[in-house]
Amino acid sequence: MVWMRILIANDDGYLAPGLAALVRACEGLGHIDVIAPEQNASGTSNSLTLTRPLSAYVASNGFHYLNGTPSDCVHVALTGLFLERPDLVVSGINQGANMGDDTLYSGTVAAAMEGFLFGIPSIAFSQADKGWGHLDAAARVARQVIDRVLSEPPSTRPFLLNVNIPNRADADSVPVRITRLGRRHASEPVIRQTSPRGDTMYWIGPSGDAREAGEGTDFHAVAQGCVSITPLQVDLTDHASLPGFRTWLSTGAKP
Ligand code: MN
């Protein structure tokens, strides 16, 4: 196999066990650079920090960390921190699933998406359940997926893959499914609390249950104990609605 340059990031922070597992999974593939947020930055989506400068540090194990978001990390890595452009960007392994509508909020997916936006093949990895159970098996899955895309690229164009891995000891020998994103119901209501100083505070509530989790979705594949791989795109345009909206604009007819 050709000597690669791989950039590894995450959203759980540079101390997360899933990051170290993903680095170990990539051992022997080539030159590896690691950059991750200083703090847990789950749920930060594609946000970039534009209101203050960012500082990068190097931990004793060689991982770089940045006082910013996952997108900041990959953006800074690709535009100045590391001299050479990577051949692949991988993100994770996240603690918890990133499926269905959750992918819009995910910092793990965003870190990979930042690589993809720079034209680099990128993959986000998540374990379906929290707690890091069977992380070694998830790392073996990540290596299998990376080996496969390196030896047989799935596309001549850059691609963005979202991989969700069931927490099981045999995760590296379960079937792998190519899936579409499922859908969730609206999130649960916020949870209201009173602070020790009498102020009202709100916790964002948990995400809603799966609404569209039928055959072919990421939810369905993981529920069946399979590894789910969803190819993602960035274009949010509702292409199917374009003709209807053009008609509406010119004639007033409902799309
Ligand atoms: Mn996370």
PDB file of all heavy atoms in Angstrom, residues 22-50:
ATOM      1  N   LEU A  22      -8.813   5.372  17.174  1.00  0.00           N
ATOM      2  CA  LEU A  22      -8.771   5.593  15.722  1.00  0.00           C
ATOM      3  C   LEU A  22      -7.331   5.784  15.247  1.00  0.00           C
ATOM      4  O   LEU A  22      -6.953   5.317  14.166  1.00  0.00           O
ATOM      5  CB  LEU A  22      -9.638   6.808  15.363  1.00  0.00           C
ATOM      6  CG  LEU A  22      -9.866   7.092  13.878  1.00  0.00           C
ATOM      7  CD1 LEU A  22     -10.390   5.860  13.140  1.00  0.00           C
ATOM      8  CD2 LEU A  22     -10.830   8.264  13.700  1.00  0.00           C
ATOM      9  N   VAL A  23      -6.520   6.430  16.069  1.00  0.00           N
ATOM     10  CA  VAL A  23      -5.103   6.589  15.723  1.00  0.00           C
ATOM     11  C   VAL A  23      -4.425   5.225  15.663  1.00  0.00           C
ATOM     12  O   VAL A  23      -3.694   4.914  14.716  1.00  0.00           O
ATOM     13  CB  VAL A  23      -4.408   7.524  16.738  1.00  0.00           C
ATOM     14  CG1 VAL A  23      -2.905   7.549  16.503  1.00  0.00           C
ATOM     15  CG2 VAL A  23      -4.989   8.936  16.642  1.00  0.00           C
ATOM     16  N   ARG A  24      -4.690   4.392  16.676  1.00  0.00           N
ATOM     17  CA  ARG A  24      -4.104   3.037  16.661  1.00  0.00           C
ATOM     18  C   ARG A  24      -4.577   2.262  15.437  1.00  0.00           C
ATOM     19  O   ARG A  24      -3.815   1.507  14.826  1.00  0.00           O
ATOM     20  CB  ARG A  24      -4.491   2.278  17.938  1.00  0.00           C
ATOM     21  CG  ARG A  24      -3.736   2.733  19.185  1.00  0.00           C
ATOM     22  CD  ARG A  24      -3.864   1.701  20.316  1.00  0.00           C
ATOM     23  NE  ARG A  24      -5.251   1.463  20.713  1.00  0.00           N
ATOM     24  CZ  ARG A  24      -5.917   2.222  21.592  1.00  0.00           C
ATOM     25  NH1 ARG A  24      -5.323   3.244  22.170  1.00  0.00           N
ATOM     26  NH2 ARG A  24      -7.162   1.946  21.891  1.00  0.00           N
ATOM     27  N   ALA A  25      -5.841   2.467  15.072  1.00  0.00           N
ATOM     28  CA  ALA A  25      -6.402   1.739  13.922  1.00  0.00           C
ATOM     29  C   ALA A  25      -5.673   2.095  12.633  1.00  0.00           C
ATOM     30  O   ALA A  25      -5.596   1.277  11.720  1.00  0.00           O
ATOM     31  CB  ALA A  25      -7.898   2.052  13.786  1.00  0.00           C
ATOM     32  N   CYS A  26      -5.143   3.316  12.560  1.00  0.00           N
ATOM     33  CA  CYS A  26      -4.483   3.778  11.329  1.00  0.00           C
ATOM     34  C   CYS A  26      -2.990   3.487  11.313  1.00  0.00           C
ATOM     35  O   CYS A  26      -2.304   3.836  10.343  1.00  0.00           O
ATOM     36  CB  CYS A  26      -4.707   5.279  11.157  1.00  0.00           C
ATOM     37  SG  CYS A  26      -6.411   5.704  10.781  1.00  0.00           S
ATOM     38  N   GLU A  27      -2.480   2.848  12.374  1.00  0.00           N
ATOM     39  CA  GLU A  27      -1.050   2.598  12.454  1.00  0.00           C
ATOM     40  C   GLU A  27      -0.558   1.828  11.243  1.00  0.00           C
ATOM     41  O   GLU A  27      -1.195   0.867  10.801  1.00  0.00           O
ATOM     42  CB  GLU A  27      -0.714   1.797  13.727  1.00  0.00           C
ATOM     43  CG  GLU A  27      -0.123   2.666  14.813  1.00  0.00           C
ATOM     44  CD  GLU A  27      -0.056   1.939  16.154  1.00  0.00           C
ATOM     45  OE1 GLU A  27       0.049   0.704  16.160  1.00  0.00           O
ATOM     46  OE2 GLU A  27      -0.117   2.633  17.177  1.00  0.00           O
ATOM     47  N   GLY A  28       0.558   2.261  10.689  1.00  0.00           N
ATOM     48  CA  GLY A  28       1.170   1.555   9.575  1.00  0.00           C
ATOM     49  C   GLY A  28       0.702   2.019   8.214  1.00  0.00           C
ATOM     50  O   GLY A  28       1.225   1.579   7.190  1.00  0.00           O
ATOM     51  N   LEU A  29      -0.307   2.889   8.176  1.00  0.00           N
ATOM     52  CA  LEU A  29      -0.829   3.339   6.882  1.00  0.00           C
ATOM     53  C   LEU A  29      -0.022   4.493   6.309  1.00  0.00           C
ATOM     54  O   LEU A  29      -0.104   4.763   5.120  1.00  0.00           O
ATOM     55  CB  LEU A  29      -2.289   3.770   7.017  1.00  0.00           C
ATOM     56  CG  LEU A  29      -3.298   2.644   7.244  1.00  0.00           C
ATOM     57  CD1 LEU A  29      -4.677   3.217   7.523  1.00  0.00           C
ATOM     58  CD2 LEU A  29      -3.329   1.720   6.027  1.00  0.00           C
ATOM     59  N   GLY A  30       0.707   5.184   7.174  1.00  0.00           N
ATOM     60  CA  GLY A  30       1.475   6.315   6.677  1.00  0.00           C
ATOM     61  C   GLY A  30       1.701   7.338   7.751  1.00  0.00           C
ATOM     62  O   GLY A  30       1.685   7.021   8.939  1.00  0.00           O
ATOM     63  N   HIS A  31       1.871   8.595   7.315  1.00  0.00           N
ATOM     64  CA  HIS A  31       2.078   9.676   8.266  1.00  0.00           C
ATOM     65  C   HIS A  31       0.735  10.111   8.831  1.00  0.00           C
ATOM     66  O   HIS A  31      -0.206  10.364   8.094  1.00  0.00           O
ATOM     67  CB  HIS A  31       2.769  10.857   7.589  1.00  0.00           C
ATOM     68  CG  HIS A  31       2.999  11.992   8.522  1.00  0.00           C
ATOM     69  ND1 HIS A  31       4.106  12.077   9.328  1.00  0.00           N
ATOM     70  CD2 HIS A  31       2.229  13.072   8.816  1.00  0.00           C
ATOM     71  CE1 HIS A  31       4.030  13.174  10.065  1.00  0.00           C
ATOM     72  NE2 HIS A  31       2.897  13.798   9.778  1.00  0.00           N
ATOM     73  N   ILE A  32       0.643  10.198  10.143  1.00  0.00           N
ATOM     74  CA  ILE A  32      -0.611  10.540  10.793  1.00  0.00           C
ATOM     75  C   ILE A  32      -0.451  11.840  11.574  1.00  0.00           C
ATOM     76  O   ILE A  32       0.476  11.968  12.378  1.00  0.00           O
ATOM     77  CB  ILE A  32      -1.051   9.409  11.743  1.00  0.00           C
ATOM     78  CG1 ILE A  32      -1.392   8.152  10.938  1.00  0.00           C
ATOM     79  CG2 ILE A  32      -2.252   9.847  12.589  1.00  0.00           C
ATOM     80  CD1 ILE A  32      -1.587   6.911  11.778  1.00  0.00           C
ATOM     81  N   ASP A  33      -1.330  12.794  11.304  1.00  0.00           N
ATOM     82  CA  ASP A  33      -1.428  14.002  12.119  1.00  0.00           C
ATOM     83  C   ASP A  33      -2.751  13.961  12.863  1.00  0.00           C
ATOM     84  O   ASP A  33      -3.779  13.582  12.298  1.00  0.00           O
ATOM     85  CB  ASP A  33      -1.375  15.263  11.242  1.00  0.00           C
ATOM     86  CG  ASP A  33       0.023  15.547  10.720  1.00  0.00           C
ATOM     87  OD1 ASP A  33       0.971  15.494  11.523  1.00  0.00           O
ATOM     88  OD2 ASP A  33       0.153  15.808   9.511  1.00  0.00           O
ATOM     89  N   VAL A  34      -2.724  14.353  14.127  1.00  0.00           N
ATOM     90  CA  VAL A  34      -3.935  14.345  14.951  1.00  0.00           C
ATOM     91  C   VAL A  34      -4.191  15.746  15.456  1.00  0.00           C
ATOM     92  O   VAL A  34      -3.285  16.398  15.996  1.00  0.00           O
ATOM     93  CB  VAL A  34      -3.783  13.394  16.151  1.00  0.00           C
ATOM     94  CG1 VAL A  34      -5.064  13.364  16.989  1.00  0.00           C
ATOM     95  CG2 VAL A  34      -3.424  11.990  15.687  1.00  0.00           C
ATOM     96  N   ILE A  35      -5.411  16.219  15.276  1.00  0.00           N
ATOM     97  CA  ILE A  35      -5.807  17.487  15.883  1.00  0.00           C
ATOM     98  C   ILE A  35      -7.253  17.373  16.351  1.00  0.00           C
ATOM     99  O   ILE A  35      -8.113  16.910  15.619  1.00  0.00           O
ATOM    100  CB  ILE A  35      -5.620  18.691  14.935  1.00  0.00           C
ATOM    101  CG1 ILE A  35      -5.998  19.966  15.680  1.00  0.00           C
ATOM    102  CG2 ILE A  35      -6.407  18.523  13.647  1.00  0.00           C
ATOM    103  CD1 ILE A  35      -5.404  21.209  15.120  1.00  0.00           C
ATOM    104  N   ALA A  36      -7.479  17.772  17.598  1.00  0.00           N
ATOM    105  CA  ALA A  36      -8.803  17.594  18.194  1.00  0.00           C
ATOM    106  C   ALA A  36      -9.090  18.772  19.111  1.00  0.00           C
ATOM    107  O   ALA A  36      -8.172  19.463  19.571  1.00  0.00           O
ATOM    108  CB  ALA A  36      -8.836  16.283  18.983  1.00  0.00           C
ATOM    109  N   PRO A  37     -10.362  18.995  19.397  1.00  0.00           N
ATOM    110  CA  PRO A  37     -10.702  20.100  20.303  1.00  0.00           C
ATOM    111  C   PRO A  37     -10.161  19.852  21.705  1.00  0.00           C
ATOM    112  O   PRO A  37     -10.078  18.712  22.168  1.00  0.00           O
ATOM    113  CB  PRO A  37     -12.238  20.095  20.312  1.00  0.00           C
ATOM    114  CG  PRO A  37     -12.646  19.322  19.099  1.00  0.00           C
ATOM    115  CD  PRO A  37     -11.562  18.327  18.865  1.00  0.00           C
ATOM    116  N   GLU A  38      -9.810  20.963  22.370  1.00  0.00           N
ATOM    117  CA  GLU A  38      -9.329  20.862  23.748  1.00  0.00           C
ATOM    118  C   GLU A  38     -10.444  20.356  24.667  1.00  0.00           C
ATOM    119  O   GLU A  38     -10.200  19.611  25.608  1.00  0.00           O
ATOM    120  CB  GLU A  38      -8.855  22.251  24.202  1.00  0.00           C
ATOM    121  CG  GLU A  38      -8.254  22.283  25.582  1.00  0.00           C
ATOM    122  CD  GLU A  38      -7.645  23.646  25.897  1.00  0.00           C
ATOM    123  OE1 GLU A  38      -8.032  24.651  25.246  1.00  0.00           O
ATOM    124  OE2 GLU A  38      -6.784  23.707  26.777  1.00  0.00           O
ATOM    125  N   GLN A  39     -11.656  20.780  24.390  1.00  0.00           N
ATOM    126  CA  GLN A  39     -12.820  20.394  25.205  1.00  0.00           C
ATOM    127  C   GLN A  39     -13.754  19.538  24.354  1.00  0.00           C
ATOM    128  O   GLN A  39     -13.709  19.615  23.131  1.00  0.00           O
ATOM    129  CB  GLN A  39     -13.600  21.645  25.629  1.00  0.00           C
ATOM    130  CG  GLN A  39     -12.779  22.710  26.306  1.00  0.00           C
ATOM    131  CD  GLN A  39     -12.684  22.496  27.796  1.00  0.00           C
ATOM    132  OE1 GLN A  39     -13.579  21.925  28.399  1.00  0.00           O
ATOM    133  NE2 GLN A  39     -11.602  22.957  28.395  1.00  0.00           N
ATOM    134  N   ASN A  40     -14.613  18.798  25.030  1.00  0.00           N
ATOM    135  CA  ASN A  40     -15.656  18.078  24.299  1.00  0.00           C
ATOM    136  C   ASN A  40     -16.483  19.082  23.510  1.00  0.00           C
ATOM    137  O   ASN A  40     -16.990  20.056  24.068  1.00  0.00           O
ATOM    138  CB  ASN A  40     -16.537  17.307  25.278  1.00  0.00           C
ATOM    139  CG  ASN A  40     -17.503  16.381  24.558  1.00  0.00           C
ATOM    140  OD1 ASN A  40     -18.017  16.695  23.486  1.00  0.00           O
ATOM    141  ND2 ASN A  40     -17.754  15.231  25.149  1.00  0.00           N
ATOM    142  N   ALA A  41     -16.592  18.872  22.220  1.00  0.00           N
ATOM    143  CA  ALA A  41     -17.313  19.808  21.349  1.00  0.00           C
ATOM    144  C   ALA A  41     -18.398  19.067  20.565  1.00  0.00           C
ATOM    145  O   ALA A  41     -18.692  19.397  19.417  1.00  0.00           O
ATOM    146  CB  ALA A  41     -16.342  20.509  20.412  1.00  0.00           C
ATOM    147  N   SER A  42     -19.002  18.076  21.216  1.00  0.00           N
ATOM    148  CA  SER A  42     -20.084  17.340  20.561  1.00  0.00           C
ATOM    149  C   SER A  42     -21.255  18.284  20.302  1.00  0.00           C
ATOM    150  O   SER A  42     -21.541  19.176  21.106  1.00  0.00           O
ATOM    151  CB  SER A  42     -20.537  16.187  21.452  1.00  0.00           C
ATOM    152  OG  SER A  42     -19.490  15.256  21.634  1.00  0.00           O
ATOM    153  N   GLY A  43     -21.916  18.099  19.172  1.00  0.00           N
ATOM    154  CA  GLY A  43     -23.105  18.898  18.857  1.00  0.00           C
ATOM    155  C   GLY A  43     -22.807  20.285  18.344  1.00  0.00           C
ATOM    156  O   GLY A  43     -23.706  21.120  18.260  1.00  0.00           O
ATOM    157  N   THR A  44     -21.558  20.555  17.979  1.00  0.00           N
ATOM    158  CA  THR A  44     -21.225  21.901  17.502  1.00  0.00           C
ATOM    159  C   THR A  44     -21.365  22.035  16.001  1.00  0.00           C
ATOM    160  O   THR A  44     -21.108  23.117  15.455  1.00  0.00           O
ATOM    161  CB  THR A  44     -19.787  22.299  17.900  1.00  0.00           C
ATOM    162  OG1 THR A  44     -18.895  21.287  17.438  1.00  0.00           O
ATOM    163  CG2 THR A  44     -19.660  22.442  19.397  1.00  0.00           C
ATOM    164  N   SER A  45     -21.738  20.956  15.339  1.00  0.00           N
ATOM    165  CA  SER A  45     -21.981  21.005  13.901  1.00  0.00           C
ATOM    166  C   SER A  45     -20.793  21.625  13.165  1.00  0.00           C
ATOM    167  O   SER A  45     -19.653  21.420  13.573  1.00  0.00           O
ATOM    168  CB  SER A  45     -23.285  21.761  13.640  1.00  0.00           C
ATOM    169  OG  SER A  45     -23.653  21.661  12.293  1.00  0.00           O
ATOM    170  N   ASN A  46     -21.064  22.391  12.115  1.00  0.00           N
ATOM    171  CA  ASN A  46     -19.984  22.918  11.279  1.00  0.00           C
ATOM    172  C   ASN A  46     -19.492  24.292  11.725  1.00  0.00           C
ATOM    173  O   ASN A  46     -18.954  25.045  10.921  1.00  0.00           O
ATOM    174  CB  ASN A  46     -20.451  23.031   9.822  1.00  0.00           C
ATOM    175  CG  ASN A  46     -20.832  21.693   9.242  1.00  0.00           C
ATOM    176  OD1 ASN A  46     -21.970  21.245   9.419  1.00  0.00           O
ATOM    177  ND2 ASN A  46     -19.910  21.057   8.588  1.00  0.00           N
ATOM    178  N   SER A  47     -19.662  24.632  12.988  1.00  0.00           N
ATOM    179  CA  SER A  47     -19.331  26.005  13.401  1.00  0.00           C
ATOM    180  C   SER A  47     -17.828  26.269  13.337  1.00  0.00           C
ATOM    181  O   SER A  47     -17.008  25.429  13.702  1.00  0.00           O
ATOM    182  CB  SER A  47     -19.851  26.279  14.811  1.00  0.00           C
ATOM    183  OG  SER A  47     -19.320  25.368  15.727  1.00  0.00           O
ATOM    184  N   LEU A  48     -17.494  27.463  12.865  1.00  0.00           N
ATOM    185  CA  LEU A  48     -16.129  27.977  12.885  1.00  0.00           C
ATOM    186  C   LEU A  48     -16.071  29.132  13.871  1.00  0.00           C
ATOM    187  O   LEU A  48     -17.015  29.913  13.975  1.00  0.00           O
ATOM    188  CB  LEU A  48     -15.718  28.487  11.497  1.00  0.00           C
ATOM    189  CG  LEU A  48     -15.460  27.444  10.414  1.00  0.00           C
ATOM    190  CD1 LEU A  48     -15.196  28.142   9.082  1.00  0.00           C
ATOM    191  CD2 LEU A  48     -14.293  26.526  10.767  1.00  0.00           C
ATOM    192  N   THR A  49     -14.973  29.250  14.589  1.00  0.00           N
ATOM    193  CA  THR A  49     -14.799  30.323  15.566  1.00  0.00           C
ATOM    194  C   THR A  49     -14.241  31.556  14.862  1.00  0.00           C
ATOM    195  O   THR A  49     -13.108  31.533  14.375  1.00  0.00           O
ATOM    196  CB  THR A  49     -13.837  29.862  16.682  1.00  0.00           C
ATOM    197  OG1 THR A  49     -14.398  28.708  17.290  1.00  0.00           O
ATOM    198  CG2 THR A  49     -13.630  30.960  17.718  1.00  0.00           C
ATOM    199  N   LEU A  50     -15.044  32.607  14.781  1.00  0.00           N
ATOM    200  CA  LEU A  50     -14.652  33.799  14.030  1.00  0.00           C
ATOM    201  C   LEU A  50     -14.451  35.015  14.918  1.00  0.00           C
ATOM    202  O   LEU A  50     -14.087  36.082  14.438  1.00  0.00           O
ATOM    203  CB  LEU A  50     -15.732  34.116  12.978  1.00  0.00           C
ATOM    204  CG  LEU A  50     -16.066  32.978  12.011  1.00  0.00           C
ATOM    205  CD1 LEU A  50     -17.201  33.396  11.077  1.00  0.00           C
ATOM    206  CD2 LEU A  50     -14.852  32.558  11.207  1.00  0.00           C
TER     207      LEU A  50
END
